[in-house]
Amino acid sequence: WYLYDYRTGKDRQRLVDLFAAEEGPRMSPEQRALLAEREASYLSLYGIEAIEPVGRLEVGDLLAGGFYVIEDPGLARLAMPGDLLLGRRCGDGAGARMSRGTVLLPGALGPGLVAAAKRAYGTYREEHYGALWPEFLRENGYVMFHYLLTPEAAEAYERAPRREGYFDPRAGYEEMRAIMRR
């Protein structure tokens, strides 16, 4: 989020844009294409519809809409249909993939995550008339990570099956709180 969405300083440019302006002219066409994908990406929530044995996942964007085929053998090994991905989709068509840092979540968190994002989006649109989901998610996608620390999310985690690979920030959060108390 900080690299791709956070707007720095008084000129309010994203770090990825500053990097593109400075380094872009020295990059190969392939590198510029990868950078452009990242500049266009935004954090969203994806529901996993199907998983193919060759490492492809069929996912639907639960917020901005759209259906995509993602290439990611690692996620395909860990995930099951009904699970969620919270991350950035890079690229379209063949070769689309999720960015590093994408987290796997149990499907039980879906309704609460979607509801929290929609509430925040409604508030955002009151101040930014006509804003679409991608704009909101670039500016405020972090609200979904905040939701994962709420009591409502804790209840959903308790209902979800315990499986390897699921992201759960609660233990890390409690460790940070303990450090701060000390």
Side-chain angles (χ1 to χ4, degrees):
W1 176 81
Y2 180 73
L3 292 174
Y4 298 113
D5 297 330
Y6 181 73
R7 297 190 178 274
T8 63
K10 58 185 167 198
D11 63 356
R12 307 287 296 143
Q13 288 194 345
R14 301 178 306 162
L15 291 179
V16 69
D17 297 327
L18 295 170
F19 179 80
E22 179 141 341
E23 298 296 325
R26 292 189 282 279
M27 298 173 111
S28 70
E30 295 83 13
Q31 290 170 323
R32 281 194 299 275
L34 288 172
L35 183 58
E37 285 179 354
R38 283 169 176 72
E39 285 179 289
S41 72
Y42 51 86
L43 186 67
S44 197
L45 183 65
Y46 298 86
I48 299 173
E49 301 291 326
I51 301 171
E52 298 176 16
V54 294
R56 283 190 207 104
L57 300 100
E58 297 176 9
V59 301
D61 188 328
L62 301 177
L63 301 174
F67 187 77
Y68 307 94
V69 176
I70 303 298
E71 301 280 342
D72 194 315
L75 282 173
R77 277 192 301 277
L78 289 173
M80 293 178 33
D83 284 345
L84 305 170
L85 298 174
L86 181 55
R88 297 173 176 282
R89 181 183 47 80
C90 296
D92 285 318
R97 64 215 169 281
M98 298 301 291
S99 67
R100 299 222 183 267
T102 295
V103 296
L104 180 66
L105 298 168
L109 289 164
L113 268 167
V114 169
K118 284 183 175 181
R119 282 191 303 272
Y121 179 51
T123 301
Y124 183 82
R125 284 187 58 137
E126 288 175 9
E127 295 180 17
H128 301 86
Y129 178 76
L132 300 176
W133 274 102
E135 178 186 335
F136 164 74
L137 292 168
R138 277 189 198 98
E139 296 290 326
N140 298 287
Y142 60 84
V143 301
M144 290 179 285
F145 282 101
H146 290 197
Y147 170 81
L148 297 178
L149 296 172
T150 65
E152 183 184 350
E155 291 175 18
Y157 271 115
E158 294 308 316
R159 289 191 310 271
R162 303 277 189 263
R163 286 202 17 248
E164 179 186 0
Y166 282 152
F167 174 72
D168 185 345
R170 296 174 299 164
Y173 176 74
E174 289 304 321
E175 286 178 30
M176 287 189 288
R177 288 185 61 164
I179 290 169
M180 294 301 292
R181 283 191 295 271
R182 287 195 299 265

